[in-house]
Short mmCIF file of all heavy atoms in Angstrom, two decimals:
data_model
loop_
_atom_site.label_atom_id
_atom_site.label_comp_id
_atom_site.label_asym_id
_atom_site.label_seq_id
_atom_site.Cartn_x
_atom_site.Cartn_y
_atom_site.Cartn_z
N ILE A 118 150.14 108.19 133.95
CA ILE A 118 151.48 108.42 133.51
C ILE A 118 151.86 109.84 134.01
O ILE A 118 151.18 110.86 133.62
CB ILE A 118 151.51 108.49 131.98
CG1 ILE A 118 150.94 107.16 131.42
CG2 ILE A 118 152.95 108.60 131.49
CD1 ILE A 118 151.66 105.91 131.88
N ASP A 119 152.80 109.85 134.84
CA ASP A 119 153.23 111.16 135.56
C ASP A 119 154.23 111.90 134.63
O ASP A 119 155.36 111.43 134.44
CB ASP A 119 153.79 110.86 136.86
CG ASP A 119 153.90 112.09 137.77
OD1 ASP A 119 153.78 113.30 137.20
OD2 ASP A 119 154.13 111.98 138.99
N VAL A 120 153.80 113.04 134.14
CA VAL A 120 154.65 113.83 133.25
C VAL A 120 155.13 115.06 133.95
O VAL A 120 155.75 116.01 133.37
CB VAL A 120 153.94 114.17 131.97
CG1 VAL A 120 154.93 114.68 130.87
CG2 VAL A 120 153.19 112.98 131.37
N ARG A 121 154.78 115.23 135.21
CA ARG A 121 155.09 116.46 135.97
C ARG A 121 156.63 116.62 136.14
O ARG A 121 157.35 115.62 136.26
CB ARG A 121 154.38 116.53 137.30
CG ARG A 121 152.84 116.65 137.17
CD ARG A 121 152.19 116.46 138.49
NE ARG A 121 152.34 115.07 138.96
CZ ARG A 121 151.70 114.58 140.09
NH1 ARG A 121 150.93 115.36 140.73
NH2 ARG A 121 151.94 113.30 140.44
N GLN A 122 157.09 117.86 136.12
CA GLN A 122 158.45 118.17 136.35
C GLN A 122 159.36 117.64 135.19
O GLN A 122 160.58 117.41 135.34
CB GLN A 122 159.03 117.60 137.69
CG GLN A 122 158.21 117.97 138.85
CD GLN A 122 158.13 119.43 139.05
OE1 GLN A 122 159.05 120.25 138.79
NE2 GLN A 122 156.94 120.00 139.51
N GLN A 123 158.70 117.37 134.03
CA GLN A 123 159.45 116.83 132.91
C GLN A 123 159.04 117.61 131.61
O GLN A 123 157.88 117.86 131.44
CB GLN A 123 159.13 115.33 132.60
CG GLN A 123 159.50 114.43 133.80
CD GLN A 123 159.14 113.04 133.54
OE1 GLN A 123 158.73 112.66 132.41
NE2 GLN A 123 159.30 112.16 134.52
N THR A 124 160.04 118.07 130.88
CA THR A 124 159.77 118.84 129.68
C THR A 124 160.16 118.02 128.44
O THR A 124 159.73 118.42 127.33
CB THR A 124 160.51 120.17 129.63
OG1 THR A 124 161.91 119.92 129.80
CG2 THR A 124 160.02 121.05 130.83
N ASP A 125 160.89 117.02 128.57
CA ASP A 125 161.32 116.16 127.44
C ASP A 125 161.57 114.78 127.91
O ASP A 125 162.56 114.50 128.58
CB ASP A 125 162.62 116.81 126.78
CG ASP A 125 162.91 116.11 125.46
OD1 ASP A 125 162.25 115.03 125.09
OD2 ASP A 125 163.74 116.63 124.80
N ASN A 126 160.67 113.86 127.59
CA ASN A 126 160.78 112.52 128.04
C ASN A 126 160.15 111.57 126.94
O ASN A 126 159.63 112.03 125.93
CB ASN A 126 160.07 112.28 129.35
CG ASN A 126 160.56 111.12 130.15
OD1 ASN A 126 161.33 110.22 129.60
ND2 ASN A 126 160.27 111.01 131.38
N ARG A 127 160.16 110.32 127.27
CA ARG A 127 159.57 109.32 126.31
C ARG A 127 158.92 108.19 127.09
O ARG A 127 159.50 107.71 128.06
CB ARG A 127 160.70 108.80 125.43
CG ARG A 127 160.12 108.09 124.17
CD ARG A 127 161.17 107.80 123.12
NE ARG A 127 160.67 107.36 121.90
CZ ARG A 127 160.25 108.15 120.94
NH1 ARG A 127 160.35 109.49 121.08
NH2 ARG A 127 159.74 107.67 119.79
N LEU A 128 157.73 107.86 126.64
CA LEU A 128 157.01 106.80 127.27
C LEU A 128 157.28 105.50 126.48
O LEU A 128 156.90 105.36 125.36
CB LEU A 128 155.51 106.98 127.35
CG LEU A 128 154.65 105.89 127.89
CD1 LEU A 128 155.00 105.62 129.38
CD2 LEU A 128 153.20 106.23 127.78
N THR A 129 158.13 104.57 127.00
CA THR A 129 158.54 103.42 126.28
C THR A 129 157.61 102.22 126.57
O THR A 129 156.81 102.30 127.48
CB THR A 129 159.92 102.99 126.74
OG1 THR A 129 159.90 102.63 128.10
CG2 THR A 129 160.99 104.14 126.57
N ARG A 130 157.64 101.29 125.68
CA ARG A 130 156.76 100.13 125.79
C ARG A 130 157.02 99.37 127.16
O ARG A 130 156.14 98.93 127.86
CB ARG A 130 157.01 99.17 124.62
CG ARG A 130 156.22 97.93 124.57
CD ARG A 130 156.58 97.01 123.45
NE ARG A 130 155.67 95.86 123.42
CZ ARG A 130 154.57 95.75 122.66
NH1 ARG A 130 154.29 96.81 121.90
NH2 ARG A 130 153.90 94.75 122.62
N ALA A 131 158.38 99.25 127.51
CA ALA A 131 158.68 98.53 128.71
C ALA A 131 158.21 99.19 129.90
O ALA A 131 157.68 98.70 130.87
CB ALA A 131 160.21 98.30 128.77
N GLU A 132 158.31 100.60 129.90
CA GLU A 132 157.79 101.35 131.06
C GLU A 132 156.34 101.26 131.32
O GLU A 132 155.74 101.13 132.34
CB GLU A 132 158.24 102.86 130.93
CG GLU A 132 157.83 103.74 132.07
CD GLU A 132 158.20 105.16 131.89
OE1 GLU A 132 158.84 105.50 130.84
OE2 GLU A 132 157.83 105.94 132.72
#
Side-chain angles (χ1 to χ4, degrees):
I118 308 300
D119 195 346
V120 194
R121 293 171 294 186
Q122 308 302 325
Q123 300 177 9
T124 58
D125 190 351
N126 202 347
R127 195 170 191 85
L128 179 61
T129 64
R130 182 187 183 91
E132 182 182 356

